[in-house]
Amino acid sequence: MELSLHIILEKPTAGVAFGLQKGSGNKYETVQIQKTDSGDLNFYLTVTTKGDRLKDASPRFGGPFIQGPYMGNFIYLDIGTLAGQVSPWNRRLKIPMAGITWEIIDQLNADAALMLKTNVAGTAKDGSPNCATVKPFNGWQVVSK
């Protein structure tokens, strides 16, 4: 099953490029590159669910945007030079896939008008682009497309 995801990057550092990392290792590209002077950035993507609910405590995720091992899957947002910008920033923001259960997958599977959304801070306390693993992570919410 394919899941539609919406990531809202709240109030990211002005003028800095952010983009979704598609692929991993040395074979990746940054897509949906955006920057803002104010306001939020929105990223839309799809991932696939995998796994066996009889064997796996939670779903496994796949597709070109998924990074990391099972039970640690995440999505990267590339920042600054990693997003193709000449910039002093060379960072990534890790957005966990944690908290997505088989019950949520069933709910999404039953209604094609639903998707998952998360909001993450785009700016760190010091005003620089937020990076590393999102903390605190408020999780994913089921919303209408």
Side-chain angles (χ1 to χ4, degrees):
M1 174 183 176
E2 284 196 346
L3 297 180
S4 296
L5 305 179
H6 179 192
I7 299 167
I8 300 173
L9 189 64
E10 296 178 333
K11 300 177 184 152
T13 305
V16 178
F18 294 81
L20 279 171
Q21 183 173 311
K22 184 177 183 181
S24 60
N26 292 328
K27 295 183 180 184
Y28 75 88
E29 65 177 314
T30 306
V31 298
Q32 297 185 39
I33 298 169
Q34 307 172 48
K35 58 183 173 178
T36 185
D37 291 326
S38 64
D40 301 336
L41 298 178
N42 293 277
F43 298 93
Y44 296 91
L45 63 146
T46 58
V47 300
T48 56
T49 56
K50 306 191 294 187
D52 179 344
R53 65 177 66 228
L54 298 176
K55 296 179 186 176
D56 301 322
S58 62
R60 297 172 184 257
F61 301 98
F65 297 105
I66 295 295
Q67 311 290 329
Y70 171 58
M71 297 302 289
N73 287 150
F74 60 91
I75 297 165
Y76 267 143
L77 286 181
D78 294 341
I79 303 167
T81 58
L82 295 175
Q85 179 184 37
V86 175
S87 169
W89 308 112
N90 185 30
R91 298 178 169 182
R92 286 190 176 106
L93 181 60
K94 215 178 195 184
I95 301 169
M97 295 297 289
I100 302 172
T101 64
W102 287 112
E103 290 75 20
I104 291 172
I105 299 299
D106 291 342
Q107 184 180 0
L108 296 169
N109 196 26
D111 187 347
L114 299 176
M115 67 185 308
L116 291 175
K117 176 186 75 106
T118 190
N119 294 52
V120 296
T123 303
K125 291 178 184 175
D126 66 0
S128 68
N130 195 9
C131 65
T133 301
V134 173
K135 291 180 185 165
F137 180 61
N138 297 323
W140 295 90
Q141 297 82 41
V142 176
V143 297
S144 294
K145 290 183 182 177

